[in-house]
């Protein structure tokens, strides 16, 4: 199975444009929700396979697994707040 590695960008502007799909000069307050949804999706992809987090713990990366679990919990709370408040 081949894994595609996402590039790291040199600036916040480049990162925004890559994630949003349009130039930062065209951005407006209305784009905040799309950026937020992109963040929620990225966090969900990162922490979705709970077995992978368990494998990290078993491999001696308990600290990293714990941080990812906290990120997942914060993401779930933000998502709930967005939908319900």
């Amino acid at each position: 199975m081949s894994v595609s590695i996402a590039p790291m960008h040199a600036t916040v502007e480049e990162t925004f444009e890559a994630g949003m799909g349009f130039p930062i000069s065209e951005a407006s307050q209305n784009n905040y929700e799309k950026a937020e949804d992109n963040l929620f999706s990225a966090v969900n992809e990162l922490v979705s396979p709970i077995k992978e987090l368990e494998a990290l713990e078993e491999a001696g990366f308990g600290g990293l697994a714990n941080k990812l679990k906290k990120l997942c919990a914060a993401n779930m709370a933000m998502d709930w707040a967005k939908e319900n408040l």
Side-chain angles (χ1 to χ4, degrees):
M1 179 168 101
S2 173
V3 175
S4 174
I5 305 297
M8 291 296 294
H9 300 282
T11 66
V12 173
E13 290 81 4
E14 288 176 2
T15 303
F16 176 91
E17 291 174 356
M20 297 294 283
F22 57 85
I24 200 165
S25 60
E26 297 175 15
S28 70
Q29 182 65 31
N30 295 333
N31 301 120
Y32 177 82
E33 204 165 296
K34 181 179 179 188
E36 188 178 57
D37 288 341
N38 287 347
L39 175 62
F40 289 148
S41 294
V43 171
N44 285 335
E45 269 187 54
L46 183 64
V47 297
S48 285
I50 195 73
K51 291 198 181 294
E52 289 181 11
L53 294 179
E54 292 169 355
L56 279 175
E57 290 174 331
E58 292 169 6
F61 296 99
L64 176 59
N66 191 46
K67 289 176 183 178
L68 290 171
K69 288 177 184 178
K70 287 180 180 181
L71 178 61
C72 179
N75 186 60
M76 290 170 63
M78 262 310 282
D79 194 32
W80 182 92
K82 178 182 174 185
E83 298 297 323
N84 295 287
L85 298 179

